[in-house]
Amino acid sequence: MNRVVMKYGGTSVKNIDNIKKVAKIIAKRKEQGKNVVVVVSAMGNTTDNLIDMAKQISKDKMNTRELDMLISTGEQQSIALLSMAIEAEGYKAISLTGFQADIKTTGVHTKNTIKDINTAKLEKYLDQGCIVVVAGFQGVNESGDITTLGRGGSDTTAVALAAMLDCSCEIYTDVDGVYTIDPRVYKNARKLDVISYEEMMQMSSLGAGVLETRAVQLGKQYGVPIMVALNTGMIRGTYIKELKKMEERGVTGLSMAKGVLMITVDNINYSPVDISHLFKLLATEKVNIDMISQNSQKDGLVSVSFTADDEDKYIVEKVLNKYCAEIKSAEYTIEEDIVKISLVGMGMMNQSGVASRIFGVYADSNIDFKLVTTSEISVSYAINKKDTMTIVNNLAREFNL
Ligand code: ASP
Ligand code: MG
């Protein structure tokens, strides 16, 4: 069973020329004796454009069933065109939508998760010698409706298929691998040959855009070897796999998340009930809270700070106005232009002194941070956006990134 899943993102198939190039690479892989399943995203900005059109009709209240119906068409275009292009290279190809590929999903529209994939049909086509081109980012739910998996969801489709087909997954993109720091921000960043699932999961969820977090999680769960590489297929990329023992590196990479809001609510009477009420209101409105800290002020008052995504600004304000109307003493401020800088590394688990070195860099750089959070293998700081480049340069130097 010499199979492989190859995934191409939107920029790799943004026009017909690029689709033809990708088709040639895939054909070559087949020529070399692989049974190939291809997962593809929508061409270029197609998904954004489709969402924009929907927004012109439904401003606040979007019918998400219809939105799924709409945005799933982006991938339907690219799979058909790519299949045609592969056939033009002289190879048998067939395109399958998520529904046709029996990708069963569950959850709420536009944010579904994959529940199961019946690969029988897909394997039948592989046995017939076809290159099977599957639409990323979509599936079908219990009611038979078309669903999507959330933005960037094609990575998840690819890894899930590789898990079910028991093969490796190659993610082709417009960068040639995973870097210690986003090379567009820090040009001396180094490409990593290999990174563990855990580190990649942290890097992705803390802002690195190369790979969807859920896809890496799934890869870890099913032990799917993942490779991220440039879409020309000519350069060795980065391998993501289980790593038992990390070599000496304490810090593997630095991730950056922009578009962070920092909210501070002052003058809350210290009472777990009042504090929990704040987070309950936010949760009811589905606001995703990230870093949290609580400080005591004088006279039994506390202040609570947390970060959220700036896309949720409107809803956060709505919640806070409600909260401050109920808890009379409370007042809130929202700071924008906040960036979250995170250092990630398995080495942090059993190396002491990493945090002290990071704090030292902040002190030497004379940069204030607003919030700090840690996990077993990461440390994150919320800072003012204007300080980003200074701290990135100084942290990169300290940790040799
Ligand atoms: N086309 C979808 C998006 O733009 C899925 C993907 O690209 O992975 O989010
Ligand atoms: Mg993507």
Side-chain angles (χ1 to χ4, degrees):
M1 276 196 302
N2 200 6
R3 300 164 170 166
V4 66
V5 173
M6 302 169 81
K7 183 255 170 180
Y8 288 87
T11 43
S12 306
V13 292
K14 66 169 185 274
N15 54 37
I16 297 301
D17 254 8
N18 288 23
I19 290 180
K20 286 181 179 171
K21 278 186 197 145
V22 165
K24 281 198 167 59
I25 299 167
I26 294 167
K28 201 146 124 217
R29 204 58 190 281
K30 176 76 183 163
E31 184 68 47
Q32 291 163 350
K34 282 277 186 195
N35 278 327
V36 184
V37 174
V38 184
V39 172
V40 68
S41 299
M43 295 169 71
N45 299 325
T46 306
T47 312
D48 286 332
N49 296 341
L50 292 168
I51 293 173
D52 278 350
M53 282 198 281
K55 279 186 178 159
Q56 288 172 37
I57 296 172
S58 329
K59 287 223 164 46
D60 311 320
K61 260 205 131 15
M62 190 83 79
N63 179 328
T64 52
R65 179 194 180 275
E66 301 310 331
L67 186 61
D68 269 354
M69 187 66 102
L70 178 70
I71 58 183
S72 63
T73 62
E75 273 72 10
Q76 197 167 332
Q77 295 174 2
S78 54
I79 52 170
L81 290 167
L82 184 56
S83 293
M84 291 174 193
I86 294 170
E87 294 218 309
E89 292 296 319
Y91 291 82
K92 278 200 285 183
I94 185 158
S95 65
L96 299 176
T97 63
F99 169 67
Q100 290 173 311
D102 259 332
I103 299 177
K104 302 196 177 72
T105 70
T106 184
V108 296
H109 275 292
T110 75
K111 288 178 186 158
N112 263 242
T113 51
I114 296 177
K115 196 172 66 180
D116 188 26
I117 305 176
N118 180 351
T119 54
K121 190 199 272 176
L122 210 153
E123 293 188 71
K124 185 189 82 188
Y125 286 123
L126 284 179
D127 289 344
Q128 292 170 5
C130 288
I131 293 169
V132 186
V133 184
V134 181
F137 172 62
Q138 57 178 260
V140 58
N141 67 13
E142 299 87 348
S143 336
D145 283 326
I146 291 174
T147 57
T148 63
L149 307 176
R151 298 306 305 269
S154 298
D155 292 343
T156 296
T157 305
V159 175
L161 279 170
M164 298 312 284
L165 295 168
D166 200 13
C167 65
S168 59
C169 182
E170 303 173 351
I171 308 267
Y172 291 99
T173 174
D174 51 358
V175 291
D176 59 356
V178 180
Y179 278 73
T180 51
I181 303 176
D182 184 341
R184 287 166 303 187
V185 176
Y186 181 70
K187 70 171 191 322
N188 294 328
R190 284 181 298 109
K191 189 167 87 183
L192 297 161
D193 289 334
V194 51
I195 183 169
S196 68
Y197 291 118
E198 284 86 354
E199 288 171 319
M200 193 65 234
M201 249 146 63
Q202 290 278 339
M203 294 273 284
S204 298
S205 72
L206 294 168
V210 256
L211 204 56
E212 213 206 356
T213 315
R214 274 192 305 166
V216 191
Q217 226 162 4
L218 209 59
K220 178 177 165 55
Q221 197 179 334
Y222 289 92
V224 177
I226 303 174
M227 185 193 69
V228 176
L230 191 65
N231 51 23
T232 60
M234 302 301 284
I235 306 174
R236 188 191 149 96
T238 301
Y239 288 87
I240 302 158
K241 53 185 183 189
E242 199 71 67
L243 291 179
K244 288 281 169 287
K245 211 170 137 48
M246 292 307 298
E247 20 17 313
E248 293 313 303
R249 65 187 189 202
V251 173
T252 299
L254 181 155
S255 288
M256 233 169 296
K258 296 180 193 137
V260 178
L261 285 183
M262 166 144 163
I263 299 102
T264 302
V265 187
D266 287 317
N267 301 336
I268 307 175
N269 279 312
Y270 177 72
S271 123
V273 177
D274 283 359
I275 295 171
S276 123
H277 183 55
L278 171 63
F279 290 105
K280 214 176 268 168
L281 288 179
L282 289 160
T284 311
E285 293 290 345
K286 301 253 181 312
V287 176
N288 205 351
I289 302 298
D290 189 19
M291 312 166 94
I292 302 179
S293 91
Q294 179 198 305
N295 294 301
S296 47
Q297 298 173 278
K298 53 181 181 339
D299 305 326
L301 295 174
V302 292
S303 85
V304 173
S305 299
F306 58 91
T307 59
D309 198 301
D310 66 359
E311 286 195 353
D312 286 336
K313 183 173 179 215
Y314 168 77
I315 195 93
V316 165
E317 276 174 337
K318 194 177 106 180
V319 169
L320 290 171
N321 288 335
K322 181 162 189 240
Y323 183 75
C324 291
E326 290 173 19
I327 313 279
K328 288 281 180 298
S329 60
E331 291 171 342
Y332 74 86
T333 50
I334 296 184
E335 289 172 75
E336 290 176 78
D337 286 333
I338 300 289
V339 171
K340 180 171 150 187
I341 305 279
S342 308
L343 291 174
V344 175
M346 295 271 277
M348 286 185 199
M349 271 200 276
N350 43 29
Q351 264 183 37
S352 59
V354 176
S356 136
R357 281 167 71 194
I358 305 174
F359 278 104
V361 173
Y362 274 89
D364 293 343
S365 317
N366 207 3
I367 287 175
D368 292 338
F369 45 84
K370 295 165 174 295
L371 282 175
V372 183
T373 50
T374 63
S375 80
E376 250 189 351
I377 62 163
S378 69
V379 186
S380 305
Y381 291 75
I383 61 165
N384 284 317
K385 187 173 165 197
K386 67 170 175 46
D387 296 326
T388 307
M389 276 330 293
T390 314
I391 201 68
V392 167
N393 283 316
N394 295 350
L395 286 169
R397 192 169 325 115
E398 172 70 21
F399 291 99
N400 199 11
L401 297 174

